[in-house]
Amino acid sequence: MIDRRSFLRVSALAGAAAVTGAASGAAFAAAGPRPADWSALGRGLDGKLIRPGDASYDNARRVFNSAFDSARPAGVAYCKTAGDVSECLAFARRYGVPVTSRSGGHSYAGWSTGSGLVIDVSPMSGVSYASGHATVGAGARLVDVYAKLAAHGVSIPAGSCPTVGVAGLTLGGGIGVVSRQYGLTCDVLESLKVVTADGKVLTCSPTSHPDLYWASRGGGGGNFGVATSFTFRTHRTRSVTLFFLHWPWAKAAAVLKAWQAWAPAAPDAMWSNCHLGHDPSLDVMVGGLYIGGKTACENLLQKLVDRVGSSPSTRYVATSAYDHAMMVEAGCASASVAQCHRPGTLPGQNPSGKLVRDSFSAKSHFAYKPLSSAGIKALVAQVAAPGRHIVMLDALGGAVARVRPDATAFPHRKALFGVQYFSHFSGAAAWARAAHAAMRPHFGDHAYVNYVDPELKNWRQQYYGANAARLAQVKAAYDPHRLFRLPQGV
């Protein structure tokens, strides 16, 4: 007996065979798919294809950043299996339909949507654990990954935004709240399954397709194929200490100078960030997480306070269960896991969700050396400019720095901290552009591919450094016809 998917594939091949010659394939692509072709694709999926005119289309087409609400894809395929992804890629190849993959839909440039076929992997969101290893579907949101692994007393190093998909985070490297202790998300990736442009489902690891495995750890999502699942090495969890220290804005320069000397050199168990905010009022905060007890954390924080030369105006330091700490970092301290989602009934959403979408603009840098006095003055001035915006500095070093820059595709191992310029009100893009340009002489040209920036010049060097050439070789090997065509595709 032939199954539904095989029947549709055989039927498509038979139809193509009836029109002979190389020109026939070009004719299909030039004409594009007819409504009947889209319907056939939908019938061939275990998941669901949503098209313009469907009741759920307006919800399905929207990504996290409402700045991209004008995008109207020709179809959104919620893929339940790797086989569904293969079907979608075959459809895209046959008809010349632009294709993009989507996990959490958080691409800063809006590249998790487009005019063609969006392959949404949200239905593949399972999380399982056995003997120190977690297998996570590519569509799983971070809040669910943390919660489901917490039931086993384990976790993986990952980010803080709860609705980010694990696929995008991992493929771009994965800076997170315990990275200094346990490494980037990609550093604990043991293997992954990828559907490549030719529809093959490959398991990639150090011994199987090692080049694609290497590229999938920091080479950015959407470049080489569609990831469907990941297997990670986990770490045991324990109680941690959370802290948030605030100083008046007059101390911003002193706090920044002290923090950049203290944070990257702190013990691995200490992760922190420095927020310089103007949203709505000016504020400077150092927050973070220490993997250990309150007394030891207090002792380390006092070293920072001593460097600043004045006590914070407010100070919060408290022990916390690991899983609750992840909810605090996600901004969901008083919410349930179900509430810490976007509301809705589509895969990746939750009917109980309380999180709202945002409209924002952002850019990034990596700092390879401490800011000079002039650099500190420049950054403080950018934050103090009129508007509602924030600059977030995330400490690196520790386990991140002990990996060679060429061991994975993520090259920024020697950076002291990451920098994100973020604005989400009127004039957001203009402010982010001006702040980034003002700080370029001080930080240089280094950027994080997970904060993808369509305005970057020389973006290959900025994202990938010396790893760019090898990434191009992997692209040529696994997607020689460039089915995956990001505007900044390797």
Side-chain angles (χ1 to χ4, degrees):
M1 178 178 291
I2 191 167
D3 64 22
R4 176 182 57 177
R5 178 176 285 119
S6 299
F7 173 79
L8 288 166
R9 186 183 294 114
V10 170
S11 297
L13 290 172
V19 184
T20 60
S24 65
F28 271 124
R34 301 163 300 173
D37 301 318
W38 284 103
S39 296
L41 173 64
R43 291 193 300 271
L45 302 178
D46 292 324
K48 184 176 183 179
L49 177 67
I50 297 177
R51 292 264 290 146
D54 292 346
S56 55
Y57 175 75
D58 275 345
N59 196 3
R61 70 181 179 84
R62 294 190 179 111
V63 293
F64 179 77
N65 191 343
S66 59
F68 305 113
D69 277 358
S70 61
R72 299 188 64 85
V76 179
Y78 285 94
C79 295
K80 280 189 174 182
T81 64
D84 278 359
V85 175
S86 294
E87 286 293 309
C88 288
L89 295 180
F91 182 87
R93 291 194 307 273
R94 185 181 186 198
Y95 294 108
V97 174
V99 64
T100 188
S101 56
R102 186 172 80 187
S103 177
H106 282 256
S107 169
Y108 277 21
W111 294 341
S112 42
T113 187
S115 62
L117 176 60
V118 175
I119 297 176
D120 191 299
V121 298
S122 296
M124 292 183 277
S125 60
V127 179
S128 61
Y129 171 77
S131 304
H133 309 280
T135 299
V136 181
R141 271 47 174 177
L142 293 188
V143 65
D144 297 316
V145 174
Y146 285 136
K148 292 177 181 179
L149 291 181
H152 302 281
V154 301
S155 193
I156 60 172
S160 59
C161 183
T163 57
V164 159
V166 72
L169 177 78
T170 305
L171 296 172
I175 296 171
V177 295
V178 293
S179 291
R180 301 189 71 255
Q181 178 73 39
Y182 300 113
L184 304 178
T185 311
C186 72
D187 292 337
V188 298
L189 179 64
E190 297 181 322
S191 67
L192 73 159
K193 290 186 177 179
V194 180
V195 185
T196 48
D198 56 6
K200 294 179 180 177
V201 182
L202 306 181
T203 298
C204 306
S205 71
T207 58
S208 176
H209 301 282
D211 285 342
L212 186 52
Y213 169 71
W214 174 86
S216 298
R217 293 182 295 155
N223 273 316
F224 309 102
V226 181
T228 60
S229 72
F230 302 85
T231 297
F232 298 103
R233 181 176 66 255
T234 62
H235 60 263
R236 301 299 302 181
T237 59
R238 53 162 296 176
S239 62
V240 299
T241 303
L242 289 167
F243 57 90
F244 301 95
L245 312 180
H246 290 260
W247 279 268
W249 184 249
K251 294 294 182 181
V255 172
L256 180 52
K257 180 180 180 180
W259 180 86
Q260 69 173 353
W262 171 81
D268 294 0
M270 172 64 78
W271 172 82
S272 69
N273 53 28
C274 181
H275 284 196
L276 304 175
H278 196 167
D279 189 13
S281 58
L282 289 164
D283 178 64
V284 55
M285 182 197 77
V286 172
L289 178 151
Y290 176 67
I291 304 172
K294 183 178 178 181
T295 299
C297 181
E298 290 272 23
N299 291 337
L300 290 169
L301 291 175
Q302 189 57 48
K303 294 180 180 181
L304 170 65
V305 172
D306 292 343
R307 284 180 177 271
V308 175
S310 66
S311 297
S313 53
T314 65
R315 181 185 189 120
Y316 173 89
V317 184
T319 56
S320 168
Y322 190 97
D323 56 333
H324 177 68
M326 296 303 108
M327 293 293 281
V328 172
E329 294 290 342
C332 293
S334 59
S336 67
V337 172
Q339 290 171 330
C340 201
H341 287 82
R342 281 175 53 193
T345 57
L346 291 173
Q349 301 173 353
N350 193 298
S352 301
K354 301 294 184 183
L355 302 187
V356 296
R357 298 163 67 229
D358 197 1
S359 178
F360 63 89
S361 184
K363 292 179 178 291
S364 71
H365 272 130
F366 281 102
Y368 277 74
K369 61 182 180 180
L371 282 172
S372 65
S373 296
I376 291 173
K377 182 178 180 180
L379 186 55
V380 171
Q382 291 303 313
V383 177
R388 300 186 72 170
H389 39 251
I390 189 170
V391 174
M392 296 171 277
L393 316 177
D394 293 309
L396 296 173
V400 177
R402 289 193 289 273
V403 178
R404 294 193 327 272
D406 63 350
T408 69
F410 179 89
H412 303 291
R413 299 294 180 168
K414 302 306 179 184
L416 300 178
F417 52 89
V419 185
Q420 182 177 185
Y421 312 88
F422 186 94
S423 184
H424 59 134
F425 283 89
S426 177
W431 175 84
R433 191 178 299 119
H436 184 268
M439 296 310 298
R440 183 185 176 197
H442 305 284
F443 287 128
D445 291 326
H446 312 282
Y448 186 22
V449 70
N450 273 353
Y451 301 153
V452 66
D453 182 350
E455 296 181 338
L456 281 185
K457 308 298 182 185
N458 192 23
W459 52 266
R460 286 183 179 85
Q461 177 65 29
Q462 295 201 46
Y463 294 148
Y464 307 119
N467 292 335
R470 185 177 175 186
L471 285 168
Q473 293 172 354
V474 177
K475 177 71 171 181
Y478 287 93
D479 185 17
H481 303 296
R482 302 190 72 83
L483 180 67
F484 303 107
R485 296 184 182 181
L486 289 173
Q488 291 179 348
V490 298

